[in-house]
Amino acid sequence: MKSHAPNWKVVCLPLCVVGLVVTLVTWASSSPVEKTSPPPTFVETDSLTDTVQQVDRFFEKQWTEKKTPPASTVSELTQLRRLSLALHGTVPSLEEIREFESMQGADRLERWTQKLLADRRFADYFSERFTRAFVGVAQGQFIIFRRDRFKAWLSEQIQENTPYDELVRKLIAGEGLWTGDPQTNFITSAVADGNLDRTKLTGSTVRAFLGQRIDCAQCHDHPFDHWKQSDFEGLTAFYGQVEVQVLGVRSNRKLKYEVEDRMTLEQREVAPRVPFLTECLPAEGTLRERLAEWVTHLDNRRFERASANRVWGLLFGIPYIDPVDDLPAPTDLSQSPPGLLDILGQDFRENGYDIKRLIQIIVASRPFHLSSESESESADQIDTATYNWALFPLVRLRPEQIIGSMLQASSLKTIDQNSNLIMRGRRFFSELNFVKEYGDLGSDELNDFPGTIPQALLRMNGEFAKDNGSASPLNSVGRIASLDVPAEKRIETCYLVCLTRLPTSEERDYFLKQYQSATNQQQRVKITEDLYWALYNSPEFSWNH
Amino acid sequence: MFDSHLISSKISRRDLCKVAVGSTLSFMLPGFDLKAAEKRGKERRKSIIILWMGGGPSQLETWDPHPGTTIGGPGKAIKTVVPGLQISDMYPLLAEQLDSMSVIRSMVSKEGDHERGTKYLKTGYRPEPTTVYPALGAIITHQAPNPQLEIPQHISMGNTQFPARGGYLGGHLDAFRVPDPGRNIGNMRASVGAPRQERRLENLNVVTQAFRRGRSIQTQKTLHQSTIDRALTMMSSEQLNAFEIEKEPEAVRKAYGDSPFGRGCLVARRLVEQGVHSIEVNLNGWDSHANNYTGHQTQAAILDPAFSSLLTDLKSRDLLDSTIVLCIGEFGRTPKINALDGRDHWPTGFSCIVGGGGLKGNLILGETDPTGKEKKPVDPVRIQDLYSTILQKMQIDYTKELISPIGRPLALSDGTPISRLI
């Protein structure tokens, strides 16, 4: 028997490789080909506008009080770039820029936002962001935790615009197999070393959905907050009956949640208990169903405020309150006026926890339209203005946004689910490799760190940058270099494709001189490549502004 | 040109560091020589080389064999130059070179999962969802920067899923990764010739100036320009030669072994000579749930020549006194051999080798139960205790508290140094 084994390996290995490639290609191409679907929800423009105005009034009052006049409003092209980066994780393509420019009407930015939200790329990009917030970046133990399935499932929910509260309830209370009912990966992501770590579930539930860090209370009463160790234990007890078995995640009513008492070192049973809003805890249902209802209860303002803060963070690159998962307790609204998160949260709740609507409100409000340029020369003033959202913050792009933008800038056409397989496969693998080499920000991605030297080297000298920046008939550098257009037009196109703006007159003149000194096509190609290289490596390219 | 001895007599090294770091123009300082190889005694700063055994090697098939017992399996043991120390017979070369190194056989961790175990073992802190702890190498780089280095001070060689991170100290302290050491130094060479590179940089300057208009303070904060400047300095630095091993005698290259790990160990020695202080060399493939013994034979064939050559080389160049060498993985392996002839994860009672850098050598710390029934080893050593020991030996105050981003004071290491090693 044993001597046959190597033969089997010889046959199986190539088959496995072929199988893997087929699977990956199929997976990479699995998004449905559907160019533009109409916006999935009917938007009541009036109430939406009301909330936008409420948000604007909130900020205008703050700017007056703090004596920080808002920066000027940016051009539509800059807004286009911000929107594409926030919602699709790439810069807009030349094709998209041209399409936008051909649109008529004063509300074309709003309509453009709706179009971006309806695009599959939005669901895919946001599902990765949410996945990080909910289960982190760890791939975990492949057999019982399928991050890929979880992410794909989330993408479906976002595409269908499942109300956010419903989505969260499915995560907390879901049952079934992690492959067939991918929401249950929220539970299995907490399996480590063969055991389900229920305390991890408590920590991530409270952090991701309620914007509170309670993890410290796992071992002791929270040092600066009001959380007690008993709060943590009581919440964890809601996960006390969840079991992860061969047949999936299910509830076993016979299980009791016990912890080791630190004083007596004896096991003691802990009863499920919520730390506040006890009246919102339903009496019926499994323990996790009850917890899910409580977390998403209409009266639980922490839920809506945490959601608004996270979405704000994803659109601006930094959350309204930083860190994203450590919010102060909601204030009594009968005593003090509502803050930004209260305004956004209330609209979110009253309109069926509609994520797309929440996004539309935030991007329509004034802070999203303000310039990152300031006339002030004082660092303090700039800090104050940025802190009060009177100045658009300069935020480093995430690795996926960098690679997404580099790829998009290497093509004149939009790279989306309608692109050919090769392009999309390339995007998929490039993203994977690049993010790996660039250094993943992990679930910590809303924290702002400066770029690193290896990243600068990767952008300047890396294989991918070399491929994309050398003229070929298939990429934008090659296409632009070979176009039979005046040099001026060539420069403009490079700027639009990479930076979504036109060159300044100084920039135009500087590069025009280079083209004028070129005597043949080969030199023009090199000049275009070198212009491209500079645009790729400029701070403007890798920072949202 | 400065005379380095003159400088050290008048201005303290710390002052010099402060000036250089403060100006972020360290690369413009005159090129006085900082090579560790050219310094002696107290003048020479200490380095650490961590040989990371990814996947968790079995203590029983490495440094804690129990030959002839049920738990020992088919393994045999050999004597080493350290009196009383026996290691697996798969390491004949290393057995001759272990003088002045110590073996700890009683490491205890509480993390039996690869990712969590690696994080704990690389940082000295058990992983937590709200804090990303910095790796040992990042702490050393943060506390004792070498501003005269034009190449990174914290380097990780060989492929690894979990490279050493800067954690809450910042991404700039992430280990600089060289996946294929000795062959390819990553992206450190410009992809075009000098004249074109110059034009590219001029272009970049034009585009950058346009962006800075109205954002000069904000763009300064991004450190984008200084990052690019430092990258460019690195690209033209002679110190990059440390990564190139072609000029090493063939016999030396052969001795280390023609494997990414062997080449990595050789580069590590060259980096230490150059003045790099935190180096990690990764060797994956220790996750032996099946065919444990044969798996360890394959790995030993890579580790034995590389590790032993590294020690010989450091000794013959008088670098071992200033270089701590630590060989460790995320956990050990069960005493019980499973149905697939493998061993599973075992975070209590596993082994590591540590020594050099002024640590006491020729010691055997702790022991494990030869029957495998007793989980807890004799004289257990916690991960943080090992790291406190190393930091103290590197003249870094391990009790110093840093404030994490959420405002929590955290000691560099919350262990207690192992007095026997100091």
Side-chain angles (χ1 to χ4, degrees):
Chain A
M1 276 300 279
K2 238 182 172 167
S3 65
H4 291 287
N7 292 340
W8 275 107
K9 281 184 194 162
V10 170
V11 179
C12 284
L13 195 65
L15 277 179
C16 286
V17 172
V18 170
L20 188 70
V21 170
V22 171
T23 316
L24 283 173
V25 171
T26 320
W27 180 33
S29 60
S30 59
S31 297
V33 181
E34 198 182 322
K35 179 81 182 179
T36 36
S37 49
T41 47
F42 175 71
V43 179
E44 283 176 72
T45 321
D46 284 349
S47 82
L48 194 148
T49 312
D50 279 352
T51 307
V52 173
Q53 283 169 354
Q54 217 182 326
V55 170
D56 287 350
R57 279 197 301 274
F58 168 84
F59 280 106
E60 277 149 17
K61 186 161 170 265
Q62 186 170 304
W63 295 330
T64 315
E65 279 170 7
K66 307 271 177 188
K67 299 194 176 64
T68 50
S72 55
T73 301
V74 290
S75 69
E76 283 186 319
L77 273 183
T78 305
Q79 291 184 48
L80 211 62
R81 182 176 184 270
R82 286 179 187 173
L83 282 172
S84 284
L85 282 170
L87 303 181
H88 291 174
T90 77
V91 290
S93 67
L94 187 64
E95 194 183 9
E96 286 173 307
I97 295 172
R98 296 292 183 227
E99 189 184 336
F100 177 75
E101 283 173 339
S102 71
M103 279 168 74
Q104 303 294 323
D107 63 342
R108 63 179 182 168
L109 262 175
E110 284 86 57
R111 283 186 286 134
W112 187 258
T113 306
Q114 288 181 18
K115 182 181 148 71
L116 295 187
L117 287 170
D119 193 305
R120 183 76 207 194
R121 286 179 291 165
F122 163 70
D124 286 345
Y125 181 68
F126 256 60
S127 76
E128 174 64 27
R129 308 271 77 77
F130 280 165
T131 301
R132 280 168 189 241
F134 301 160
V135 300
V137 278
Q139 296 298 329
Q141 303 189 338
F142 189 71
I143 304 169
I144 53 160
F145 171 57
R146 294 292 300 273
R147 193 179 191 278
D148 54 339
R149 291 282 172 109
F150 184 71
K151 199 181 130 184
W153 177 82
L154 265 180
S155 181
E156 285 303 322
Q157 306 301 312
I158 295 169
Q159 183 70 10
E160 289 164 19
N161 215 16
T162 303
Y164 187 68
D165 61 329
E166 189 185 320
L167 189 155
V168 170
R169 282 197 292 274
K170 285 179 180 169
L171 295 177
I172 298 176
E175 301 219 336
L177 205 56
W178 37 90
T179 43
D181 298 293
Q183 69 274 25
T184 57
N185 284 290
F186 177 71
I187 303 289
T188 61
S189 71
V191 175
D193 203 18
N195 297 312
L196 178 66
D197 184 354
R198 295 183 169 81
T199 60
K200 187 182 172 188
L201 285 174
T202 310
S204 41
T205 303
V206 178
R207 252 182 295 119
F209 310 130
L210 299 179
Q212 313 281 181
R213 290 182 178 184
I214 190 180
D215 308 69
C216 293
Q218 186 178 339
C219 310
H220 48 77
D221 290 349
H222 197 293
F224 358 95
D225 220 328
H226 52 81
W227 301 103
K228 297 278 176 280
Q229 192 177 353
S230 54
D231 294 336
F232 190 92
E233 290 174 352
L235 276 173
T236 309
F238 283 99
Y239 286 111
Q241 295 182 338
V242 58
E243 261 187 331
V244 177
Q245 286 187 334
V246 198
L247 291 172
V249 173
R250 54 187 212 101
S251 298
N252 178 350
R253 284 181 187 259
K254 284 185 203 138
L255 287 181
K256 299 202 183 325
Y257 181 63
E258 291 185 330
V259 294
E260 187 183 81
D261 193 287
R262 280 177 195 258
M263 306 301 279
T264 64
L265 296 181
E266 279 168 6
Q267 294 288 320
R268 69 180 152 81
E269 193 182 331
V270 178
R273 189 177 69 81
V274 290
F276 52 87
L277 292 177
T278 34
E279 65 278 14
C280 298
L281 185 71
E284 296 300 309
T286 67
L287 285 182
R288 281 189 294 136
E289 279 164 3
R290 291 169 62 204
L291 176 67
E293 291 292 341
W294 174 78
V295 167
T296 60
H297 195 281
L298 287 171
D299 290 342
N300 195 351
R301 283 169 54 216
R302 289 176 201 252
F303 177 63
E304 64 200 43
R305 283 166 49 88
S307 316
N309 194 38
R310 183 173 301 284
V311 172
W312 182 281
L314 289 169
L315 300 175
F316 281 89
I318 39 177
Y320 181 70
I321 294 179
D322 198 15
V324 69
D325 51 9
D326 203 10
L327 303 185
T331 50
D332 185 348
L333 291 178
S334 64
Q335 303 292 319
S336 49
L340 174 78
L341 297 184
D342 299 317
I343 300 170
L344 293 174
Q346 185 190 352
D347 184 280
F348 191 45
R349 172 181 9 107
E350 287 174 354
N351 292 282
Y353 297 103
D354 177 345
I355 294 167
K356 293 188 180 180
R357 179 185 161 100
L358 178 60
I359 291 172
Q360 281 174 296
I361 290 170
I362 296 176
V363 301
S365 57
R366 279 196 69 194
F368 198 78
H369 296 217
L370 297 182
S371 170
S372 59
E373 289 177 58
S374 160
E375 283 167 14
S376 171
E377 291 291 330
S378 141
D380 281 350
Q381 276 180 18
I382 285 175
D383 279 351
T384 314
T386 314
Y387 183 76
N388 288 300
W389 306 90
L391 194 62
F392 193 87
L394 224 54
V395 179
R396 185 160 74 112
L397 299 184
R398 299 186 185 89
E400 292 96 332
Q401 289 173 312
I402 298 258
I403 175 69
S405 298
M406 284 176 94
L407 270 167
Q408 183 54 72
S410 77
S411 161
L412 297 181
K413 284 180 71 79
T414 311
I415 303 175
D416 59 8
Q417 64 277 8
N418 300 306
S419 306
N420 65 47
L421 258 184
I422 298 171
M423 203 57 198
R424 285 168 50 206
R426 183 155 172 254
R427 157 137 212 195
F428 177 74
F429 287 108
S430 310
E431 187 170 309
L432 222 59
N433 288 331
F434 189 88
V435 170
K436 209 169 138 196
E437 211 178 331
Y438 202 73
D440 202 309
L441 297 173
S443 33
D444 215 18
E445 59 182 357
L446 289 177
N447 277 339
D448 204 21
F449 288 122
T452 65
I453 296 174
Q455 291 167 355
L457 291 170
L458 183 66
R459 280 198 317 264
M460 288 195 286
N461 310 330
E463 272 309 306
F464 178 75
K466 213 188 300 184
D467 286 353
N468 268 1
S470 315
S472 90
L474 291 174
N475 66 23
S476 51
V477 192
R479 300 272 293 276
I480 295 173
S482 63
L483 285 177
D484 187 21
V485 292
E488 206 170 331
K489 199 82 198 150
R490 218 187 294 281
I491 301 167
E492 269 183 15
T493 313
C494 287
Y495 268 85
L496 278 176
V497 170
C498 293
L499 303 181
T500 328
R501 70 165 169 97
L502 293 171
T504 63
S505 53
E506 287 97 339
E507 288 173 308
R508 183 175 290 133
D509 293 347
Y510 176 83
F511 288 108
L512 262 180
K513 242 183 231 157
Q514 289 190 4
Y515 278 111
Q516 280 155 5
S517 68
T519 49
N520 58 35
Q521 174 59 13
Q522 209 190 343
Q523 282 181 357
R524 272 189 290 275
V525 169
K526 281 186 178 165
I527 288 168
T528 314
E529 285 179 348
D530 293 348
L531 165 59
Y532 236 78
W533 185 91
L535 297 174
Y536 262 168
N537 283 288
S538 67
E540 189 167 352
F541 187 87
S542 48
W543 292 75
N544 194 19
H545 50 83
Chain B
M1 190 149 156
F2 281 87
D3 180 324
S4 59
H5 295 282
L6 198 72
I7 281 196
S8 54
S9 66
K10 285 187 177 167
I11 317 165
S12 80
R13 185 182 299 277
R14 187 170 288 273
D15 290 340
L16 196 61
C17 292
K18 276 186 191 158
V19 172
V21 169
S23 65
T24 71
L25 290 169
S26 56
F27 56 89
M28 288 180 72
L29 287 172
F32 48 92
D33 213 335
L34 293 130
K35 287 186 179 177
E38 284 157 28
K39 296 199 181 284
R40 288 291 173 275
K42 281 186 179 168
E43 237 187 283
R44 186 192 279 168
R45 274 185 43 192
K46 288 187 180 167
S47 294
I48 183 167
I49 299 176
I50 298 173
L51 305 179
W52 182 262
M53 306 292 114
S58 159
Q59 66 282 9
L60 291 149
E61 274 72 31
T62 52
W63 328 129
D64 190 14
H66 283 293
T69 64
T70 326
I71 68 161
K76 292 193 184 67
I78 47 167
K79 283 186 181 162
T80 67
V81 287
V82 177
L85 174 65
Q86 295 207 331
I87 59 169
S88 158
D89 70 340
M90 292 184 252
Y91 295 89
L93 299 170
L94 194 59
E96 299 292 326
Q97 296 300 335
L98 280 181
D99 51 307
S100 69
M101 301 298 281
S102 295
V103 170
I104 307 176
R105 285 174 166 165
S106 52
M107 297 305 306
V108 286
S109 163
K110 285 182 174 169
E111 304 291 350
D113 169 70
H114 289 293
E115 185 171 355
R116 292 184 62 84
T118 306
K119 285 183 175 166
Y120 185 17
L121 266 288
K122 284 199 172 181
T123 65
Y125 276 93
R126 291 180 71 186
E128 268 175 48
T130 51
T131 309
V132 185
Y133 290 99
L136 184 63
I139 294 173
I140 293 165
T141 312
H142 184 259
Q143 290 298 306
N146 181 351
Q148 285 82 17
L149 265 187
E150 294 168 339
I151 56 176
Q153 188 181 321
H154 183 203
I155 292 173
S156 170
M157 287 184 281
N159 266 319
T160 171
Q161 210 185 339
F162 313 109
R165 299 275 308 265
Y168 66 76
L169 296 177
H172 62 290
L173 292 172
D174 282 356
F176 184 89
R177 278 175 291 159
V178 183
D180 193 7
R183 287 265 167 88
N184 180 346
I185 52 171
N187 306 314
M188 285 189 254
R189 297 277 188 233
S191 53
V192 292
R196 274 190 79 186
Q197 178 73 5
E198 206 170 299
R199 179 165 77 194
R200 286 181 168 196
L201 292 172
E202 277 166 25
N203 290 353
L204 177 58
N205 194 36
V206 170
V207 184
T208 306
Q209 289 314 320
F211 185 62
R212 280 173 58 92
R213 223 154 288 147
R215 300 185 185 95
S216 69
I217 291 169
Q218 297 98 302
T219 43
Q220 244 166 1
K221 260 191 168 172
T222 66
L223 300 181
H224 192 93
Q225 195 57 44
S226 77
T227 306
I228 286 191
D229 288 345
R230 281 182 295 155
L232 292 169
T233 308
M234 189 191 304
M235 284 161 61
S236 57
S237 171
E238 289 203 354
Q239 295 173 355
L240 273 189
N241 293 337
F243 286 100
E244 291 174 5
I245 57 171
E246 287 80 37
K247 287 184 192 128
E248 289 283 337
E250 205 195 330
V252 173
R253 281 184 281 152
K254 254 198 176 148
Y256 275 89
D258 190 22
S259 63
F261 181 74
R263 291 193 292 273
C265 285
L266 178 51
V267 172
R269 188 265 285 161
R270 294 176 60 90
L271 289 169
V272 166
E273 285 178 298
Q274 193 57 255
V276 176
H277 298 299
S278 314
I279 301 153
E280 167 184 278
V281 194
N282 290 281
L283 178 58
N284 282 327
W286 297 95
D287 196 14
S288 57
H289 289 284
N291 301 328
N292 172 66
Y293 191 73
T294 47
H296 274 77
Q297 279 178 317
T298 317
Q299 297 299 93
I302 303 168
L303 180 58
D304 190 35
F307 192 177
S308 56
S309 299
L310 177 66
L311 292 177
T312 332
D313 228 5
L314 290 173
K315 276 182 251 176
S316 69
R317 288 162 190 265
D318 190 27
L319 288 167
L320 193 58
D321 278 348
S322 62
T323 309
I324 293 177
V325 180
L326 169 67
C327 177
I328 201 165
E330 64 263 39
F331 37 62
R333 296 271 146 191
T334 46
K336 190 177 184 298
I337 298 172
N338 68 25
L340 297 167
D341 263 346
R343 295 187 193 267
D344 303 316
H345 302 177
W346 181 256
T348 41
F350 61 105
S351 312
C352 72
I353 293 185
V354 65
L359 287 168
K360 281 204 181 127
N362 299 315
L363 294 170
I364 307 161
L365 272 64
E367 58 184 274
T368 53
D369 176 21
T371 66
K373 290 200 181 91
E374 185 63 49
K375 251 188 161 181
K376 209 174 157 189
V378 177
D379 213 359
V381 172
R382 297 177 306 161
I383 314 308
Q384 52 266 52
D385 297 338
L386 176 64
Y387 289 171
S388 296
T389 314
I390 291 173
L391 287 170
Q392 192 177 76
K393 214 60 208 166
M394 292 191 83
Q395 281 123 27
I396 290 169
D397 177 11
Y398 67 90
T399 61
K400 186 172 169 184
E401 286 185 342
L402 299 179
I403 305 297
S404 84
I406 57 163
R408 198 171 134 205
L410 288 165
L412 296 180
S413 169
D414 67 355
T416 315
I418 311 161
S419 53
R420 290 174 68 192
L421 284 177
I422 294 173

